[in-house]
């Protein structure tokens, strides 16, 4: 029961705290290039990526501020059930963002995820303490924090693959300084990622020499 409550409760908010990684920056640049025909400057890409990352915290702040009123008016169980609907809407926005070629959908999805996380972290802990037996009440509340941390760890692990591929690409490009060939690099299962990386860098604006 504790496992189900942890996975369905605080694991997802923790996961979305740390899940956004470097490939999202390439998606922003690629989307902008296909839409307007000109690439973004690196500073603009970094700004948009930072906004996507930080909008989760803004949504979390709003969710925390609204959670007290919602819990008192509708109850903890109804509040959590409605919160799941908000999570589904956020998941649809982020899931179809690549198909729609819109990084704005990721921004909206992260904001909705933040609101749901703010509501969930308050209502879930209270509801978990109420439905748990007295002997297990402390363990249940601690279990929620453990799964929140576990979600953060999973988000970091999901990004390690792209970081390792990026490190390999940086070490072997542009002059293959450490002996890596293009065939060796792509045989590691990183073909699609490297192709997007090459496109992103090749279309980036070059600094002018005065």
């Amino acid at each position: 029961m504790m496992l189900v409550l942890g996975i369905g409760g605080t694991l997802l908010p923790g996961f979305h705290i740390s899940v956004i990684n470097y490939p999202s920056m390439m998606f922003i640049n690629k989307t902008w290039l296909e839409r307007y025909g000109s690439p973004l400057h690196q500073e603009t890409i970094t700004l948009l990526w930072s906004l996507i990352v930080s909008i989760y915290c803004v949504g979390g702040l709003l969710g925390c501020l609204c959670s007290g009123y919602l819990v008192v008016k509708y109850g903890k169980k109804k509040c959590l059930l409605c919160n799941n609907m908000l999570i589904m809407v956020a998941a649809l926005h982020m899931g179809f963002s690549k198909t729609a070629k819109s990084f704005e959908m990721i921004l909206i999805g992260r904001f909705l995820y933040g609101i749901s996380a703010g509501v969930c972290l308050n209502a879930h802990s209270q509801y978990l303490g109420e439905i748990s037996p007295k002997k297990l009440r402390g363990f249940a509340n601690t279990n929620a924090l453990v799964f929140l941390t576990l979600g953060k760890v999973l988000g970091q692990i999901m990004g390690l693959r792209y970081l390792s591929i990026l490190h390999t690409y940086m070490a072997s490009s542009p002059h293959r300084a450490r002996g890596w060939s293009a065939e060796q690099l792509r045989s590691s299962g990183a073909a699609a990622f490297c192709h997007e990386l090459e496109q992103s860098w090749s279309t980036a604006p070059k600094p002018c020499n005065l």
Side-chain angles (χ1 to χ4, degrees), residues 126-147:
Q126 298 176 35
Y127 186 67
L128 194 61
E130 290 181 0
I131 65 174
S132 302
K134 287 186 177 180
K135 293 182 179 180
L136 299 176
R137 193 164 294 170
F139 175 73
N141 288 325
T142 306
N143 182 67
L145 298 176
V146 169
F147 274 91

Side-chain angles (χ1 to χ4, degrees), residues 56-201:
Y56 181 83
C57 300
V58 177
L61 175 62
L62 294 177
C64 289
L65 293 176
C66 299
S67 61
Y69 171 78
L70 296 174
V71 166
V72 171
K73 185 173 182 179
Y74 299 105
K76 300 176 181 66
K77 185 177 181 179
K78 290 183 179 180
C79 189
L80 288 172
L81 289 174
C82 294
N83 192 50
N84 290 334
M85 300 297 294
L86 185 62
I87 293 175
M88 293 176 63
V89 174
L92 289 174
H93 274 82
M94 296 191 69
F96 287 101
S97 61
K98 189 172 184 179
T99 304
K101 297 180 180 180
S102 173
F103 63 87
E104 293 89 353
M105 293 179 67
I106 298 180
L107 187 66
I108 296 173
R110 289 276 296 176
F111 180 69
L112 294 178
Y113 266 128
I115 295 176
S116 66
V119 174
C120 175
L121 291 178
N122 287 286
H124 178 77
S125 301
Q126 298 176 35
Y127 186 67
L128 194 61
E130 290 181 0
I131 65 174
S132 302
K134 287 186 177 180
K135 293 182 179 180
L136 299 176
R137 193 164 294 170
F139 175 73
N141 288 325
T142 306
N143 182 67
L145 298 176
V146 169
F147 274 91
L148 178 67
T149 307
L150 182 61
K152 295 179 183 179
V153 173
L154 289 177
Q156 294 288 343
I157 292 175
M158 292 290 288
L160 285 178
R161 174 177 175 269
Y162 295 103
L163 288 177
S164 62
I165 294 172
L166 178 63
H167 176 73
T168 303
Y169 189 86
M170 293 285 288
S172 61
S173 177
H175 300 295
R176 309 290 190 264
R178 300 189 182 184
W180 281 77
S181 63
E183 290 76 13
Q184 289 175 324
L185 186 63
R186 283 164 174 77
S187 64
S188 64
F193 179 76
C194 291
H195 178 66
E196 291 186 6
L197 191 61
E198 288 173 353
Q199 283 187 334
S200 177
W201 284 352

